[in-house]
Amino acid sequence: MTYEFKAQSGFQEYFGKSHQLVRGSVKEFVTGEITPFIEAWEEAGEFPRDIYKKASDIGILGTGYPEAYGGTPGDIFFQIAVWEELMRSGSGGFVASLGSLNIALPPIVRMGTEEQKNRFLPPVLAGEKIAALAITEPSGGSDVANLQTTAVRDGDHYVVNGGKAFITSGCRADQITCAVRTGEEGAHGISLLVIESKTPGYSVSEKLKKTGWWSSDTAQIYFDNCGVPVDNLLGEENQGFYGIMGNFQSERLQLAIIDSMTAQLALEASLQYSKERKAFGKSLKSLQVTRHKLADMATMVEVSREFLIG
Ligand SMILES: Cc1cc2nc3c(=O)[nH]c(=O)nc-3n(C[C@H](O)[C@H](O)[C@H](O)COP(=O)(O)OP(=O)(O)OC[C@H]3O[C@@H](n4cnc5c(N)ncnc54)[C@H](O)[C@@H]3O)c2cc1C
């Protein structure tokens, strides 16, 4: 049972015919390729790598990225439509992990040289390589400006030492967009490096067992004298904090969509269950207290979507 939004907030002006077409393709993809297997992938703690390729082949992996690098250009509402429909899989972990490129690649698009964009974007947008973003550290995440992983320049390489925590897609990532300290304490001593996981000194020290989002592999990553070419520095040295800040808006939007769609799916499941389940000779749905609860849930879902898109 799906829940139709009641609010007349003009969502339709944001989602035109082409957005609806994309929504339709994602729906078909989710129904055919994801839903039948998602429970097993949640148990397995990851989903097959070829899903990235399949998502790329139908043009939804690179939504919003320049065509020159293998993307499918479009406004933010294409991405919203894609993320909302992917959430119909019922797994926030799947959506977060399939979408880890959407936090890893934007700093490369914004700060990278042409050579770096050509090297790091096409394989990921083609679904051949997995990209992750590595900012958080075991010592803390909110206080980004205080990160401790160091990168010390030695000729044409940076020698990276330290570790990263809670990295989405981190167990399987081929490349990470990684925040490191190259300078003074605080926000002005941070740089962004693209580090390939095959680099000697790079290791996944732990696959984390989480309370939810199981099909998303979440890693602790460890750097032990990991030599990263200076050519992999994004933008100027010590300017990385701006690259991290540039990601915040879109990261918040993606997470808000995951959360609001999770609430909507819970409402839909509750509506279905309360219709089927009988108590005292009636369906739960016909009991006043249940109807109040469902009305409260529907109100919160409407409000959340209104804040998200309206
Ligand atoms: C499933 C999952 C996936 C993730 N994926 C990634 C990823 O791909 N890449 C990545 O880099 N990180 C990732 N993270 C890390 C995430 O960004 C951090 O968890 C987040 O930044 C918070 O950091 P922390 O967990 O270290 O909490 P802390 O910073 O230690 O905060 C602990 C608590 O204190 C509160 N707090 C902190 N500072 C303040 C303050 N100034 N005022 C009031 N309250 C405060 C926080 O709200 C929180 O409740 C992921 C986390 C999870 C759980």
Side-chain angles (χ1 to χ4, degrees), residues 181-250:
R181 181 159 306 283
T182 41
E184 62 185 52
E185 280 184 17
H188 298 293
I190 293 172
S191 300
L192 285 176
L193 290 177
V194 180
I195 308 182
E196 293 178 87
S197 56
K198 63 181 183 200
T199 314
Y202 177 115
S203 62
V204 174
S205 47
E206 194 184 342
K207 179 174 182 172
L208 296 172
K209 206 170 169 204
K210 309 187 297 302
T211 50
W213 277 24
W214 288 357
S215 62
S216 170
D217 57 299
T218 310
Q220 307 284 96
I221 293 171
Y222 182 58
F223 310 108
D224 179 14
N225 288 321
C226 182
V228 181
V230 169
D231 285 347
N232 290 15
L233 173 73
L234 296 177
E236 287 175 36
E237 203 175 80
N238 299 323
Q239 297 296 305
F241 197 76
Y242 298 108
I244 298 170
M245 277 168 53
N247 255 18
F248 285 159
Q249 299 281 49
S250 161

Side-chain angles (χ1 to χ4, degrees), residues 27-288:
K27 195 173 190 168
E28 214 171 285
F29 174 67
V30 169
T31 311
E33 303 282 353
I34 315 299
T35 312
F37 314 106
I38 196 70
E39 295 275 339
W41 298 344
E42 283 285 300
E43 288 298 328
E46 62 182 44
F47 56 90
R49 273 185 86 112
D50 71 355
I51 293 296
Y52 289 94
K53 178 86 179 61
K54 288 181 178 172
S56 170
D57 287 347
I58 60 162
I60 60 169
L61 195 65
T63 314
Y65 292 89
E67 211 166 357
Y69 309 107
T72 318
D75 61 31
I76 189 70
F77 295 99
F78 281 99
Q79 284 178 312
I80 293 174
V82 169
W83 296 332
E84 282 188 337
E85 279 315 311
L86 286 174
M87 272 306 293
R88 289 254 156 227
S89 65
S91 168
F94 167 71
V95 179
S97 194
L98 185 73
S100 61
L101 80 165
N102 290 317
I103 52 177
L105 298 189
I108 303 176
V109 173
R110 279 195 304 273
M111 300 167 74
T113 61
E114 205 46 44
E115 184 278 325
Q116 288 173 327
K117 290 181 198 176
N118 281 313
R119 194 151 46 104
F120 295 126
L121 301 179
V124 177
L125 295 174
E128 289 156 6
K129 284 190 174 177
I130 297 176
L133 177 74
I135 310 287
T136 309
E137 303 193 340
S139 57
S142 310
D143 190 5
V144 178
N146 191 31
L147 63 84
Q148 308 290 317
T149 295
T150 55
V152 178
R153 181 134 183 199
D154 181 14
D156 57 0
H157 279 71
Y158 285 101
V159 180
V160 180
N161 280 292
K164 295 289 166 181
F166 307 135
I167 306 307
T168 299
S169 297
C171 300
R172 307 196 289 176
D174 300 289
Q175 65 186 54
I176 59 170
T177 305
C178 184
V180 292
R181 181 159 306 283
T182 41
E184 62 185 52
E185 280 184 17
H188 298 293
I190 293 172
S191 300
L192 285 176
L193 290 177
V194 180
I195 308 182
E196 293 178 87
S197 56
K198 63 181 183 200
T199 314
Y202 177 115
S203 62
V204 174
S205 47
E206 194 184 342
K207 179 174 182 172
L208 296 172
K209 206 170 169 204
K210 309 187 297 302
T211 50
W213 277 24
W214 288 357
S215 62
S216 170
D217 57 299
T218 310
Q220 307 284 96
I221 293 171
Y222 182 58
F223 310 108
D224 179 14
N225 288 321
C226 182
V228 181
V230 169
D231 285 347
N232 290 15
L233 173 73
L234 296 177
E236 287 175 36
E237 203 175 80
N238 299 323
Q239 297 296 305
F241 197 76
Y242 298 108
I244 298 170
M245 277 168 53
N247 255 18
F248 285 159
Q249 299 281 49
S250 161
E251 282 176 23
R252 287 175 186 139
L253 180 65
Q254 288 170 57
L255 285 167
I257 290 171
I258 290 178
D259 295 345
S260 130
M261 280 301 291
T262 301
Q264 183 173 339
L265 294 176
L267 169 61
E268 291 175 4
S270 305
L271 282 169
Q272 185 66 32
Y273 184 75
S274 63
K275 196 173 152 201
E276 288 163 4
R277 179 79 166 174
K278 302 270 186 291
F280 308 104
K282 295 176 179 173
S283 68
L284 288 184
K285 204 173 159 210
S286 62
L287 301 172
Q288 194 181 35

